[in-house]
């Protein structure tokens, strides 16, 4: 991921490098020009003003170049961060929802796509600037050698200490940064859980307990943060002690050389300045620390790329197909256990099939496989004779629709939430779908009707679910899958929706995950699942003769009847 980020921002990073190098070269030239200017001023030479002007120009150039580096760094960081987020989010959204949810918790994902991506986005510009930070120490050391070998030797005696300091800093910093980011992600995940369950927490009166749970990793985070900055602080403190000592040693040697007449005043000033530049380990350590943090953050963000994107084909469904759904030998394994095992099923085009079974029988997983929200580990699924994994993605999502028990609504307004889809529905289709889902009445009573902002719409659970149904109806294709999508509706409303689904929504095949006896009774055929296998398929009245089938509805059968 870092290599890709560097390639993506290569031009801007190169500009950062060139400007940083130019600023470093200006900084390297300053001591020599300053020393020469001082010698000329002391000698009263008529060339002194020209050298002073040159010195002023170098200082102005360095300031301007530093400002340009800051501007380029900011824009490069922003562009790189955006690229990293787009790439990671794109892989996340093209992967199977089950695989993404199983591997990454919501809070962890948010941290990887926000804080970690931002930190990783600084890597190209920081790497370019870090290359330039090496120039002043190396150039200053070369200048010291040219000015006087004895002052250069005095400085070189402390170089091994500088190298050991940088090596220890890089090794310690990498470990502490990784631990800090992991604890930060754990806290974010707990916070997301608490926010999503805020009503339950308030109703249970466990606010204080949840606050303690969310903040429980805070001491560990603080400890890791202190360790991280302690490592950085120690490196800076040691360099702050080492640098003046080296400069003092160089000045002492240079002073002795000046007293013996082997070194001039200007050369001594230049040597002292070059010694300070050569000992500039602080800038190198700071850049190294930023690179370590960026690399650790990129590793966390890049783990999203390990998700496997769902492959698609390029085929289209036959024109005029009725939506015949077939599952052939479908097996789905989760954590080493077959949740669906050898499922063979055929739902004729235009029929309504109710999927029933006890909790854990595999009903929702069957619904997910039927519309390719999950792929089987063995077997295949066909729609009108074409395997779903060979369909073009747009064709698949245009012809296979879903409604869920807890829908997620996207868009600013209620109307936009219903229209949301690969091909957004028009205003007339939105209203027709809302009427079919029994939602038009309460939507019209909202302050601005279909233009009411979702955040301002006080929706009950059943109303929320009806908006999800309306969105599915507005985009109904030849196969419509309702995964317990009417569980929040009262019996009268459910019957109205089922009638509208038959009469007012585009004709096609319906696969309905049902818990109510009435839903099974109204379906053309019932698919009875038991422990991940199809126990029987047939009309409800035929299956009702089996006491085991009646037992599936035992808790609700009397009420529905």
């Amino acid at each position: 991921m870092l290599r890709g980020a560097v390639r993506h921002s290569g031009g801007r990073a190169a500009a950062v490098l060139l400007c940083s190098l130019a600023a470093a070269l200006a900084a390297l030239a300053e001591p020599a020009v300053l020393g020469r200017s001082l010698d000329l001023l002391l000698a009263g030479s008529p060339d002194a003003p020209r050298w002073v002007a040159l010195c002023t120009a170098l200082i102005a150039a360095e300031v301007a170049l530093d400002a340009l580096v800051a501007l380029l760094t900011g824009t490069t960081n922003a562009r790189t961060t955006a690229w990293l987020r787009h790439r990671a989010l794109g892989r996340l959204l093209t992967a199977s929802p089950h695989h993404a949810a199983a591997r990454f918790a919501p809070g962890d994902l948010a941290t990887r796509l926000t804080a970690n991506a931002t930190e990783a986005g600084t890597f190209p510009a920081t790497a370019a600037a870090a290359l330039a930070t090496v120039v002043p120490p190396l150039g200053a050391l070369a200048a010291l050698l040219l000015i006087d070998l004895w002052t250069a030797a005095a400085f070189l005696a402390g170089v091994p200490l500088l190298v050991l300091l940088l090596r220890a800093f890089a090794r310690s910093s990498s470990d502490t940064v990784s631990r800090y980011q992991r604890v930060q992600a754990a806290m974010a995940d707990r916070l997301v859980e608490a926010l999503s369950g805020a009503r339950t927490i308030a109703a249970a009166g466990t606010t204080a307990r949840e606050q303690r749970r969310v903040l429980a990793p805070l001491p560990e985070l603080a400890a890791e943060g202190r360790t991280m900055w302690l490592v950085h602080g120690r490196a800076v403190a040691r360099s702050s002690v080492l640098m003046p000592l080296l400069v003092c040693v160089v000045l002492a040697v240079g002073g002795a050389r000046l007293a013996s007449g082997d070194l001039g005043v200007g050369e001594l000033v230049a040597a002292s300045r070059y010694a300070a530049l050569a000992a500039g380990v602080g800038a190198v350590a700071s850049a190294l620390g930023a690179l370590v943090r960026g690399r650790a953050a990129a590793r966390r963000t890049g783990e999203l790329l390990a998700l496997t994107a769902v492959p698609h084909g390029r085929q289209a469904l036959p024109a005029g197909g009725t939506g015949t759904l077939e599952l052939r030998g479908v097996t789905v394994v989760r954590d080493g256990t077959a949740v669906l095992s050898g499922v063979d099923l055929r739902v004729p085009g235009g029929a309504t099939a109710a999927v029933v079974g006890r909790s854990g029988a595999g009903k929702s997983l069957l619904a997910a496989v039927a519309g390719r929200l999950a792929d089987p580990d063995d077997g295949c699924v066909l729609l009108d004779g074409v395997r779903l994994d060979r369909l073009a993605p747009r064709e698949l999502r245009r012809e296979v629709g879903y409604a869920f028990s807890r829908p997620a609504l996207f868009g600013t307004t209620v109307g936009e939430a219903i229209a949301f889809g690969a091909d957004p529905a028009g205003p007339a289709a939105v209203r027709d779908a809302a009427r079919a889902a029994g939602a038009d009445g309460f939507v019209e009573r909202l302050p601005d009707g279909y233009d009411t902002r979702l955040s301002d719409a006080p929706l009950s659970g059943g109303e929320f679910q009806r908006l999800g149904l309306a969105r599915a109806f507005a985009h109904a294709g030849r196969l419509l899958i309702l995964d317990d999508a009417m569980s929040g509706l009262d019996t009268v409303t459910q019957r109205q929706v089922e009638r509208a689904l038959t009469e007012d929504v585009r004709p096609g095949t319906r696969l309905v995950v049902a818990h109510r006896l009435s839903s099974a009774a109204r379906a053309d055929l019932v698919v009875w699942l038991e422990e991940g296998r199809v126990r029987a398929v047939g009309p409800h009245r035929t299956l009702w003769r089996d006491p085991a089938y009646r037992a599936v509805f035992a808790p609700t059968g009397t009420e529905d009847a």
Side-chain angles (χ1 to χ4, degrees):
M1 174 165 274
L2 283 181
R3 285 193 296 269
V6 171
R7 285 194 298 269
H8 175 265
S9 301
R12 290 175 179 267
V16 171
L17 176 60
L18 291 175
C19 291
S20 300
L21 286 174
L25 292 174
L28 279 174
E30 282 174 23
V33 175
L34 179 61
R36 180 60 176 165
S37 301
L38 182 59
D39 283 339
L40 292 174
L41 286 171
L42 291 175
S45 172
D47 293 333
R50 184 159 54 89
W51 282 88
V52 171
L54 179 57
C55 187
T56 304
L58 284 173
I59 294 173
E62 184 182 5
V63 171
L65 287 167
D66 284 341
L68 185 57
V69 167
L71 176 62
L72 288 171
T73 298
T75 56
T76 303
N77 290 347
R79 286 170 57 88
T80 307
T81 300
W83 181 83
L84 289 171
R85 285 177 177 157
H86 274 87
R87 191 176 180 201
L89 184 60
R91 178 58 62 87
L92 176 66
L93 295 180
T94 56
S96 169
H98 166 75
H99 291 155
R103 182 164 180 181
F104 301 104
D108 185 26
L109 279 176
T111 303
R112 291 172 189 266
L113 290 171
T114 52
N116 295 155
T118 301
E119 194 83 54
T122 65
F123 190 90
T126 302
L131 291 174
T133 60
V134 180
V135 173
L138 295 179
L141 181 58
L144 277 176
L145 290 170
L146 291 173
I147 292 171
D148 186 68
L149 290 176
W150 289 99
T151 53
F155 176 81
L156 288 172
V159 168
L161 293 176
L162 291 175
V163 174
L164 290 175
L165 178 63
L166 287 175
R167 183 181 177 186
F169 171 73
R171 184 171 56 248
S172 302
S173 182
S174 179
D175 294 338
T176 56
V177 167
S178 297
R179 290 195 298 268
Y180 182 88
Q181 291 173 347
R182 283 197 298 270
V183 178
Q184 188 182 47
M187 279 193 68
D189 190 47
R190 295 188 182 196
L191 178 60
V192 169
E193 288 179 357
L195 291 175
S196 61
R199 288 191 301 175
T200 302
I201 293 170
T206 58
T207 303
R209 185 192 307 168
E210 279 302 304
Q211 183 179 3
R212 289 192 298 271
R213 187 183 73 87
V214 171
L215 298 179
L218 192 58
E220 184 181 359
L221 184 71
E224 295 296 344
R226 283 193 297 269
T227 302
M228 182 172 63
W229 292 112
L230 184 61
V231 169
H232 186 268
R234 283 175 177 169
V236 173
R238 289 167 181 169
S239 65
S240 299
V241 173
L242 186 58
M243 286 168 56
L245 285 176
L246 286 174
V247 174
C248 288
V249 170
V250 169
L251 284 174
V253 174
R257 300 283 289 168
L258 178 65
S260 65
D262 296 320
L263 202 65
V265 174
E267 290 175 321
L268 178 60
V269 171
S272 65
R273 294 279 295 169
Y274 281 127
L277 285 175
V281 71
V284 177
S286 179
L288 187 60
L291 289 176
V292 168
R293 292 193 298 273
R295 184 172 179 270
R299 186 182 297 113
R300 286 181 50 78
T301 306
E303 286 177 1
L304 297 178
L305 300 182
L307 293 170
T308 303
V310 176
H312 292 279
R314 296 184 178 181
Q315 293 187 23
L317 291 170
T322 57
T324 300
L325 176 67
E326 295 179 79
L327 281 74
R328 298 179 180 175
V330 167
T331 297
V332 180
V333 179
R334 294 286 186 266
D335 299 325
T337 302
V339 185
L340 290 178
S341 182
V343 174
D344 290 305
L345 175 65
R346 186 179 187 277
V347 180
T352 297
V355 183
V356 305
R358 295 185 180 276
S359 178
K363 301 185 295 296
S364 290
L365 184 56
L366 177 66
V369 170
R372 214 190 171 208
L373 288 183
D375 280 335
D377 295 286
D378 194 16
C380 61
V381 182
L382 297 90
L383 183 62
D384 284 333
V386 181
R387 287 179 51 149
L388 294 187
D389 56 354
R390 295 177 182 172
L391 284 175
R394 194 171 188 83
E395 177 84 353
L396 173 66
R397 291 307 159 207
R398 185 172 58 243
E399 295 294 344
V400 179
Y402 270 95
F404 303 99
S405 59
R406 289 180 288 181
L409 300 181
F410 296 93
T412 304
T413 65
V414 172
E416 289 177 3
I418 298 175
F420 180 82
D423 297 313
V430 166
R431 289 180 178 273
D432 290 342
R435 276 191 286 270
D440 183 69
F442 74 78
V443 171
E444 289 290 2
R445 290 193 296 271
L446 293 172
D448 297 311
Y450 286 88
D451 294 326
T452 303
R453 295 177 64 88
L454 277 174
S455 56
D456 298 331
L459 301 174
S460 67
E463 290 170 341
F464 205 81
Q465 201 169 69
R466 274 182 275 175
L467 289 181
L469 282 166
R471 181 180 62 198
F473 293 171
H475 301 87
R478 63 183 73 189
L479 174 61
L480 184 58
I481 300 171
L482 308 183
D483 187 0
D484 200 20
M486 292 183 280
S487 59
L489 307 185
D490 59 79
T491 305
V492 174
T493 303
Q494 179 180 340
R495 289 179 181 175
Q496 292 173 348
V497 171
E498 288 174 340
R499 188 180 305 113
L501 182 59
T502 303
E503 300 173 359
D504 302 328
V505 181
R506 172 185 166 178
T509 306
R510 319 295 191 210
L511 189 68
V512 182
V513 174
H515 292 87
R516 289 182 175 179
L517 177 62
S518 57
S519 298
R522 292 188 183 91
D524 297 316
L525 71 154
V526 176
V527 180
W528 178 13
L529 285 183
E530 190 171 88
E531 296 182 352
R533 297 178 180 273
V534 176
R535 177 162 176 175
V537 177
H540 169 73
R541 62 171 55 88
T542 302
L543 297 178
W544 188 253
R545 299 168 186 162
D546 190 331
Y549 176 77
R550 295 199 298 271
V552 172
F553 302 97
T556 59
T558 304
E559 178 184 344
D560 283 342

